[in-house]
Amino acid sequence: MRQLEPGAEPASEPPPLVVAAKIKNAMRITALDRKATGSNLSQGMALADARAMLPALKVVQYNAIGERELLNHIADWCDRYTPFVSLLTSRELLLDVTGTTHLFGGEQALLDKVRADIGRQGFVVRGALAGNTIAARALAHYRDGMVVPEREEAGALAPLPVDAMDFEPEVTHAFHRAGLKTIGQIYKRKRSELQSRFGAAVMGRIDQAHGAREKPITPRLAQPDYSAEQRFAEPIVTEDIILDTLRSLAESIGQVMAERDEGARRLEAVFFRADGKVERIVIDMGSPTRDAAIVVRLFREKLSAVADPLDPGFGFDLIRLGATRAERAKPTAVDLDADEQAKKEVRFLIDRLAARFGVQNIIAFQPNETNIPEAAWFALPAQQIEKTDKKWRRIRHNRESPRRPLRIFERPEPITVLSDVKSGALRFNWRQTTHTVQKIEGPERIAMEWWKHQTYQPTRDYYRVEDTEGRRYAIYLEGINKRDIGRVENLQPHWILQGMLA
């Protein structure tokens, strides 16, 4: 024990801590520490009453967003025990451990491990294991650490209070008024009596707690089509071992996919650190792949490109690889005149570039069957481009200047066209600069696709224009057809500059 220096005052203990939120126009306690509990404070108590009892009480404002983020962090940690993790409430997690308990030495060993691992992170945790959601939740609140054997939920729940069933407040109050204080007393009543007085919803919840029916949980994360994982007795930290593990996992799921003639289009690697942090890395591929060598090269490319490299901290004790998107690997007929190997190398190059710079940053263009210049093509991520029967239309002859602008503005810009009466020169103002027209070619009239729009779309007369400095522009006059005069009001023709020609 360290002695105090002469004249020094002993360090004061921190005051009790509570979290308060506004509930029904009053500040109430939503959470509290053990010291506050020992001072006779309780959840739901009015904050004014708590301050009157403990003037030195420390109060923290309730943060719903922060609490949800924290719960998601704990849920990420719990993915190491089972991929079926669901957010039950803002403070409760539900884990479906069916088929995984043997990996941890049994049900009781798994429950103890979960509670101990989360407790070491500084949280107070309560848990129980049962055959259905309602029973597990009730036992977690009133019989912390209990494991109920299969089909024995009714006996375990019988001594618990009715509040453990988490009925609506008015239903719980009705049970109390009827003299039913425990769940066992509810079981002893006739089913017809409960059905007529409380309705089918309450009976359904009672049946579920009894194990007669079960409602499947909804995992917070979509489950992969194929998955494999590797646990380590000692956490690993080196990149070589990490990549070797990914190779082994890729070979494992690749064998399963080969049996079904499928390949992965998206793979997600999940790294569980020993200190509770979870890292996820995703790679996409342009075609179904199950080659472990390609998968490892793409992950290596991804790891070398991320701004925040994979930090092992104290090491990873679990690595999981899942194919979150799998497709049937369609057999392709090899053209004897085509260089199939070159095509594969191009596809792999696209995958590498996408892994390094992002899927949305590597794009390719596909033709669109339309005469409207700005809609003649559309851009997609290069990995999502598939073979199509649509082909690029040739709209100009040999040695003819381009008919469509090579650079199309994202937003066409209005211009003012002027005519010099004396010289007969044609000029236009664009971006506060006057340009004198030297050559002009047109018009090319293009009607808009009226069947795709709810409102009237004016026609366009396109011109190719060259000014005295040799710059070429694509402009059009937007107006109305003669047959539409009188039907369309307040629409005046005007000039638009759409882009730049070569």
Side-chain angles (χ1 to χ4, degrees):
M1 179 180 295
R2 184 172 62 88
Q3 294 183 349
L4 294 175
E5 297 180 0
E9 297 182 357
S12 59
E13 294 185 0
L17 174 66
V18 299
V19 178
K22 192 172 184 178
I23 302 175
K24 295 182 179 180
N25 297 324
M27 294 297 294
R28 296 186 178 277
I29 296 176
T30 60
L32 62 167
D33 64 3
R34 286 194 174 124
K35 187 176 293 186
T37 304
S39 301
N40 295 326
L41 303 186
S42 61
Q43 186 175 350
M45 176 183 290
L47 183 59
D49 297 338
R51 287 187 184 278
M53 297 173 59
L54 294 174
L57 183 66
K58 183 178 179 180
V59 181
V60 176
Q61 183 70 28
Y62 174 67
N63 183 355
I65 297 177
E67 186 176 80
R68 174 67 71 169
E69 291 177 353
L70 178 60
L71 190 65
N72 275 308
H73 168 75
I74 300 175
D76 284 338
W77 166 266
C78 290
D79 280 343
R80 66 178 55 236
Y81 308 114
T82 173
F84 295 95
V85 180
S86 176
L87 303 180
L88 196 57
T89 66
S90 62
R91 296 180 181 178
E92 296 173 324
L93 291 176
L94 180 64
L95 281 65
D96 187 349
V97 296
T98 304
T100 63
T101 56
H102 66 281
L103 300 174
F104 303 91
E107 296 179 345
Q108 188 66 60
L110 173 58
L111 178 60
D112 294 341
K113 180 175 176 57
V114 172
R115 295 166 64 235
D117 288 348
I118 299 179
R120 277 193 292 269
Q121 299 181 46
F123 300 103
V124 177
V125 59
R126 301 176 66 88
L129 197 152
N132 61 78
T133 302
I134 296 178
R137 183 183 183 278
L139 293 169
H141 282 271
Y142 293 90
R143 295 292 186 271
D144 182 31
M146 186 175 184
V147 175
V148 181
E150 188 177 0
R151 301 186 183 281
E152 295 186 13
E153 290 85 4
L157 293 175
L160 301 187
V162 175
D163 304 69
M165 292 290 291
D166 196 30
F167 291 124
E168 295 294 333
E170 56 272 14
V171 174
T172 303
H173 180 66
F175 276 123
H176 289 167
R177 291 190 60 184
L180 304 177
K181 306 297 184 182
T182 65
I183 299 176
Q185 292 175 343
I186 297 178
Y187 288 158
K188 295 178 181 179
R189 291 300 182 98
K190 293 182 179 180
R191 183 181 183 85
S192 58
E193 178 184 349
L194 297 174
Q195 178 90 21
S196 61
R197 182 167 182 178
F198 298 101
V202 173
M203 285 307 305
R205 193 167 185 83
I206 294 174
D207 290 341
Q208 184 178 347
H210 193 274
R213 65 175 69 175
E214 176 60 304
K215 182 180 180 181
I217 71 170
T218 303
R220 52 187 289 270
L221 300 176
Q223 300 304 302
D225 297 326
Y226 301 92
S227 178
E229 64 182 36
Q230 176 66 51
R231 299 179 182 272
F232 304 94
E234 295 292 336
I236 62 172
V237 295
T238 61
E239 183 174 326
D240 291 340
I241 299 179
I242 292 173
L243 292 175
D244 287 342
T245 302
L246 291 176
R247 181 188 302 274
S248 175
L249 297 177
E251 291 174 350
S252 177
I253 64 175
Q255 293 175 359
V256 181
M257 288 190 292
E259 296 175 357
R260 303 182 181 180
D261 294 329
E262 292 186 339
R265 289 288 302 274
R266 172 173 292 179
L267 287 169
E268 181 186 51
V270 187
F271 304 88
F272 295 87
R273 279 190 359 187
D275 60 355
K277 187 176 181 181
V278 179
E279 307 246 4
R280 300 177 186 272
I281 296 181
V282 178
I283 60 170
D284 290 274
M285 288 146 291
S287 59
T289 304
R290 50 177 179 259
D291 189 337
I294 293 178
V295 170
V296 172
R297 288 189 63 182
L298 293 178
F299 271 114
R300 182 183 285 111
E301 197 78 38
K302 189 78 170 183
L303 291 175
S304 62
V306 293
D308 185 14
L310 192 63
D311 180 15
F314 293 102
F316 300 114
D317 54 10
L318 171 62
I319 296 179
R320 180 181 297 149
L321 181 65
T324 57
R325 180 185 173 191
E327 294 180 0
R328 182 169 296 278
K330 300 178 181 178
T332 57
V334 178
D335 189 350
L336 297 179
D337 298 330
D339 189 353
E340 187 66 23
Q341 184 62 29
K343 294 180 180 179
K344 290 182 179 179
E345 292 178 357
V346 170
R347 290 195 294 266
F348 180 57
L349 175 61
I350 292 175
D351 291 340
R352 290 185 60 191
L353 293 174
R356 176 171 287 273
F357 300 107
V359 174
Q360 301 301 325
N361 295 323
I362 310 299
I363 61 175
F365 299 93
Q366 279 197 322
N368 191 20
E369 295 179 353
T370 180
N371 291 320
I372 303 174
E374 66 268 24
W377 51 268
F378 56 91
L380 286 175
Q383 290 179 316
Q384 299 178 11
I385 294 294
E386 298 181 357
K387 291 184 179 180
T388 176
D389 295 334
K390 298 179 181 179
K391 296 182 179 180
W392 296 99
R393 283 196 308 117
R394 185 182 180 87
I395 60 175
R396 65 169 175 162
H397 304 291
N398 293 334
R399 298 183 181 181
E400 184 183 16
S401 60
R403 293 190 179 185
R404 296 290 183 263
L406 296 181
R407 179 190 175 192
I408 296 181
F409 298 149
E410 183 177 358
R411 294 182 179 179
E413 302 181 13
I415 60 175
T416 302
V417 176
L418 307 173
S419 179
D420 193 330
V421 179
K422 294 182 179 180
S423 62
L426 188 65
R427 296 175 297 169
F428 65 90
N429 288 336
W430 175 52
R431 294 182 178 178
Q432 301 179 352
T433 303
T434 300
H435 302 266
T436 302
V437 177
Q438 179 178 337
K439 297 179 181 179
I440 184 170
E441 183 179 7
E444 178 188 1
R445 172 160 290 187
I446 297 179
M448 296 295 100
E449 298 169 339
W450 53 267
W451 58 90
K452 294 183 179 179
H453 303 275
Q454 297 291 334
T455 59
Y456 174 78
Q457 299 295 311
T459 59
R460 296 178 182 177
D461 288 337
Y462 278 86
Y463 295 86
R464 289 180 287 173
V465 174
E466 181 179 329
D467 64 9
T468 54
E469 297 182 1
R471 290 188 288 262
R472 297 177 178 179
Y473 310 88
I475 65 176
Y476 62 85
L477 175 64
E478 191 173 61
I480 59 177
N481 292 319
K482 293 181 179 180
R483 60 183 175 82
D484 293 322
I485 296 177
R487 289 196 306 112
V488 181
E489 299 179 357
N490 301 324
L491 181 61
Q492 300 295 328
H494 53 280
W495 290 92
I496 302 293
L497 194 150
Q498 189 179 45
M500 308 294 292
L501 292 163

